[in-house]
Amino acid sequence: DIGGQVGYYTLLALQGGAGHVCVFEISKAYRKEIQRQLRLAGQENKVEIVAAALGERDGKEVVFQDYFGKTKMPGLMIDTFCKEKNISPNVIKIDVQGNEVDILKGMRETMRTQKPKMMVMLYEALLRKKGQSKKEGLEILQSCGYEVEQFANEHSYICIPL
């Protein structure tokens, strides 16, 4: 669960039968809320909360602005995380308010070799602020062997490996 916010999709994954969930959240306030939600649901032992900013290169600073202020931390690639933890993700959700393209760039190997099903939010206006575009994100997904279908609204995509 990349961009865990308050843990909604983490809890949904657990209710759907996920044995273990890694939730990535850069915001300390949101991480605390995820912990609270997991405690209320009695699911703390099935979730790893990772205080990391995912990105296109390990160590490259990632800056994230949310309602609580600006947070900066060194980036971590999903490819690196999965290798170090020996994880093969089945499903990945990405909703990080404009940092999606950078994250996709840092997980090409995982997409090509592990082929997780994905739900990706691509916010055109937020991506443009970084000189990126929704089209760029869709091209990365397609080049890694995914069929991409829009659903629900203009920024939500279901990505199924071919």
Side-chain angles (χ1 to χ4, degrees), residues 96-122:
V96 290
Q97 305 296 312
N99 286 326
E100 294 83 6
V101 169
D102 288 342
I103 291 170
L104 291 170
K105 288 177 180 177
M107 62 182 287
R108 285 183 170 119
E109 184 178 337
T110 300
M111 288 189 286
R112 287 184 181 123
T113 60
Q114 305 302 320
K115 301 189 180 305
K117 296 171 190 75
M118 299 196 302
M119 181 173 73
V120 179
M121 309 303 170
L122 293 166

Side-chain angles (χ1 to χ4, degrees), residues 13-78:
L14 292 169
Q15 288 178 347
H20 185 79
V21 176
C22 295
V23 57
F24 297 85
E25 180 53 60
I26 193 170
S27 166
K28 185 177 181 178
Y30 283 145
R31 287 193 309 271
K32 285 178 70 174
E33 182 58 23
I34 293 167
Q35 289 173 329
R36 188 180 82 81
Q37 293 295 330
L38 292 170
R39 201 170 36 256
L40 290 170
Q43 299 287 341
E44 305 100 320
N45 61 336
K46 293 184 177 182
V47 176
E48 179 180 355
I49 300 172
V50 184
L54 298 174
E56 65 179 302
R57 280 196 324 264
D58 293 330
K60 181 180 177 187
E61 185 175 76
V62 175
V63 179
F64 183 74
Q65 176 75 43
D66 64 13
Y67 306 110
F68 305 106
K70 190 179 280 190
T71 305
K72 297 179 187 179
M73 63 176 58
L76 172 68
M77 293 169 46
I78 279 289

